[in-house]
Amino acid sequence: MNKQMSMLCPKASRVIRRISTSSLRCDSQPQPRAKSAPQQLVGVVGLEVHAQINSNTKLFSGSSVRFSAPPNSLVSFFDASLPGTLPVLNKRCVEAAVMTGLALNCTINRKSLFDRKHYFYADLPSGYQITQQRQPIAVDGTLTYSLLGGTKRSQVIRKTVNIKQIQLEQDSGKSLHDDLRSQTLIDLNRAGVGLMELVMEPDMSCGEEAAAAVRELQLILQALGTCQGNMSEGQMRVDANVSVHKPGEPLGIRAEVKNINSVRCLARAIDYEIQRQIEVLQRGQTVQNETRAYDSKSGETIPMRDKEGLQDYRFMPEPNLPPLIVYEDNASLPTGIDACQAVVVHKIREGLPELPGVKRDRLVQTYGILPEHSFTLVNEDGLVEYFEAVMKVTKKEPRKVIGWVTNELLGHLKEKDMSVSHSPSDSKLSSRIDERRNW
């Protein structure tokens, strides 16, 4: 779960053309190594991403979901865990998880189960979280992401990280710590909000790779509409499991860095933690299996608590929820089941939109633009549609249009602190842009 939100990172910039990290950078291409040189320690990174499902109501109750609502104004009896209340599963959340699983090449389990995960926090009224530990809704997927490498950072290098599982679960409430009065205030508006937890295998080696993978996942979720992906509002939160080892040897002891809420901070936190663990081992000490937090002001990770074992959570089947059944198509629906009430995988698959990776490839092939320009277009919400609309009404070469869009248009919008999707479309904007460059 996501606790200790007091060390969150400041909001990252809207357009991420290249993800910059600290001096610790993973090699995009293998470098020759002298035979006598000792084998170096390398980082191993796995991620757990908590994505808030884009739904009007919570996972198991009819309470509304809204950011910045007055404290404790969106809390049902079930959210407050009053005796006698029972969960009612939100179909929209199930469909969002299935759609996300399909987009990430997962196997969708036709039968999945809910479990109780016990732990005691003040902002978790029931004393347990409803999750999917034993049999999640989706398993065995892949996420393909791209890095800009080469001497001029213009070569696109594609990599893949395996997705172990996607599970549905509840979010907790929020603890607000008042140090002046030595008290903690509880806001339960977030309690019970639907989450997808996406567990990535330890297939990454540095902060740059992890940041690129999370950014690609963010774009996919936004394209699907299953998560708005606004990390500054906590709609995506990342836990990074970091260890170091010598290639060919068993993995080292890992530390978990919790609650990272920006792509840039994720890269910096991972790179710092890798370097910290290397220095610990070089001093002859042992890396501790612990939970740490990232302090964006100091650029360091700091210890929070010892890592909890699985036995501490006392997992048990959720007695108030039957198995979750999804169907392949309408023909597989049992007699008497209303198709409008069932979750049908085939119908969801047919509604999948064009995904970011496919869109970038199409832009490069169709317009002959550079790969890095396709990243710029796709990363900014609404910019691809604007670019293609301009291409339909101009005879200019695509690369000239790209230069105008990325420099003149985005520069003008930045001055006005606006995004492309929220920019005015009246003649005043067009005339202002034309004045800056007559083409």
Side-chain angles (χ1 to χ4, degrees):
M1 290 296 300
N2 298 293
K3 304 292 171 195
Q4 303 291 336
M5 300 300 288
S6 59
M7 296 179 182
L8 294 180
C9 227
K11 183 178 180 181
S13 60
R14 221 170 14 234
V15 182
I16 304 177
R17 298 180 61 181
R18 293 173 179 164
I19 301 170
S20 60
T21 64
S22 65
S23 58
L24 181 63
R25 184 183 296 277
C26 53
D27 293 329
S28 300
Q29 299 174 345
Q31 300 295 326
R33 181 179 295 174
K35 293 183 179 179
S36 59
Q39 208 169 20
Q40 299 296 317
L41 291 167
V42 297
V44 179
V45 182
L47 300 177
E48 298 173 11
V49 181
H50 295 85
Q52 180 180 313
I53 297 172
N54 186 18
S55 173
N56 293 328
T57 55
K58 297 183 180 180
L59 183 57
F60 297 117
S61 78
S63 296
S64 299
V65 177
R66 189 169 68 253
F67 183 72
S68 293
N72 296 309
S73 62
L74 304 175
V75 185
S76 70
F77 292 152
F78 177 80
D79 302 330
S81 192
L82 296 185
T85 55
L86 295 173
V88 178
L89 183 59
N90 184 340
K91 179 188 174 187
R92 159 62 186 165
C93 293
V94 178
E95 291 175 334
V98 171
M99 178 175 284
T100 301
L102 292 174
L104 296 174
N105 309 300
C106 291
T107 298
I108 306 300
N109 284 326
R110 299 302 182 262
K111 176 183 177 181
S112 58
L113 306 172
F114 287 99
D115 305 283
R116 289 185 180 182
K117 178 181 179 181
H118 292 83
Y119 53 94
F120 300 100
Y121 289 127
D123 52 19
L124 191 69
S126 62
Y128 61 84
Q129 175 197 41
I130 299 179
T131 182
Q132 291 188 306
Q133 173 69 16
R134 294 171 295 160
Q135 195 164 335
I137 194 166
V139 295
D140 301 332
T142 56
L143 170 65
T144 300
Y145 61 97
S146 300
L147 296 167
L148 293 177
T151 56
K152 295 183 178 180
R153 304 286 291 166
S154 59
Q155 179 184 356
V156 177
I157 301 171
R158 300 196 179 192
K159 296 195 175 187
T160 299
V161 57
N162 291 302
I163 307 292
K164 179 181 179 181
Q165 65 189 54
I166 300 175
Q167 61 196 50
L168 285 166
E169 62 184 26
Q170 299 169 295
D171 205 346
S172 65
K174 187 175 182 180
S175 296
L176 306 172
H177 304 291
D178 186 348
D179 294 332
L180 293 177
R181 297 178 176 83
S182 299
Q183 63 182 4
T184 298
L185 306 176
I186 305 299
D187 181 8
L188 295 180
N189 280 347
R190 202 175 64 186
V193 169
L195 298 178
M196 294 179 290
E197 181 177 352
L198 300 96
V199 182
M200 298 185 188
E201 298 283 10
D203 298 332
M204 295 157 284
S205 61
C206 65
E208 184 181 25
E209 290 185 1
V214 169
R215 178 56 178 154
E216 185 70 14
L217 175 63
Q218 184 183 40
L219 291 172
I220 290 173
L221 296 178
Q222 290 170 340
L224 297 173
T226 57
C227 173
Q228 294 180 357
N230 189 334
M231 299 186 77
S232 64
E233 295 183 1
Q235 293 172 353
M236 275 186 68
R237 292 161 285 177
V238 185
D239 302 336
N241 293 295
V242 183
S243 65
V244 297
H245 77 137
K246 292 182 179 179
E249 296 184 0
L251 299 181
I253 298 174
R254 68 181 183 181
E256 183 180 27
V257 185
K258 299 281 287 185
N259 300 323
I260 306 171
N261 79 324
S262 91
V263 173
R264 184 171 297 177
C265 285
L266 174 66
R268 292 174 176 172
I270 289 173
D271 286 344
Y272 173 86
E273 182 60 22
I274 290 173
Q275 189 61 44
R276 184 192 71 84
Q277 292 186 21
I278 290 175
E279 292 175 357
V280 167
L281 294 176
Q282 288 175 342
R283 292 195 298 267
Q285 300 173 341
T286 302
V287 175
Q288 299 298 314
N289 182 214
E290 61 184 353
T291 300
R292 302 177 70 88
Y294 178 66
D295 185 347
S296 61
K297 294 182 179 179
S298 66
E300 300 175 349
T301 64
I302 56 178
M304 294 171 60
R305 58 182 181 272
D306 292 336
K307 186 68 179 161
E308 302 100 330
L310 288 177
Q311 66 275 10
D312 293 334
Y313 293 126
R314 295 182 293 119
F315 284 101
M316 62 169 283
E318 170 53 59
N320 293 324
L321 287 169
L324 172 58
I325 308 296
V326 300
Y327 301 93
E328 177 59 32
D329 49 36
N330 288 337
S332 63
L333 291 175
T335 304
I337 297 293
D338 185 357
C340 295
Q341 299 298 321
V343 176
V344 181
V345 175
H346 178 71
K347 181 179 179 181
I348 296 174
R349 184 182 286 112
E350 287 184 331
L352 289 175
E354 184 181 39
L355 297 179
V358 176
K359 185 176 293 186
R360 283 192 292 264
D361 291 342
R362 177 177 62 80
L363 290 169
V364 172
Q365 294 173 6
T366 303
Y367 300 104
I369 63 176
L370 296 175
E372 55 263 37
H373 289 157
S374 71
F375 278 83
T376 303
L377 291 176
V378 173
N379 282 359
E380 176 69 16
D381 184 29
L383 196 56
V384 171
E385 292 77 10
Y386 193 98
F387 168 74
E388 293 191 305
V390 172
M391 288 303 304
K392 290 179 180 179
V393 297
T394 184
K395 296 180 180 179
K396 293 294 182 179
E397 295 180 1
R399 294 196 180 190
K400 290 186 177 181
V401 177
I402 280 286
W404 177 80
V405 167
T406 57
N407 296 322
E408 301 297 327
L409 176 64
L410 290 184
H412 180 81
L413 293 177
K414 186 176 181 180
E415 290 178 0
K416 300 297 182 181
D417 194 25
M418 293 188 300
S419 64
V420 176
S421 58
H422 295 93
S423 64
S425 57
D426 56 22
S427 58
K428 291 183 179 180
L429 177 61
S430 300
S431 61
R432 286 286 303 278
I433 295 174
D434 289 339
E435 289 173 2
R436 300 183 65 176
R437 181 171 183 176
N438 186 18
W439 62 281

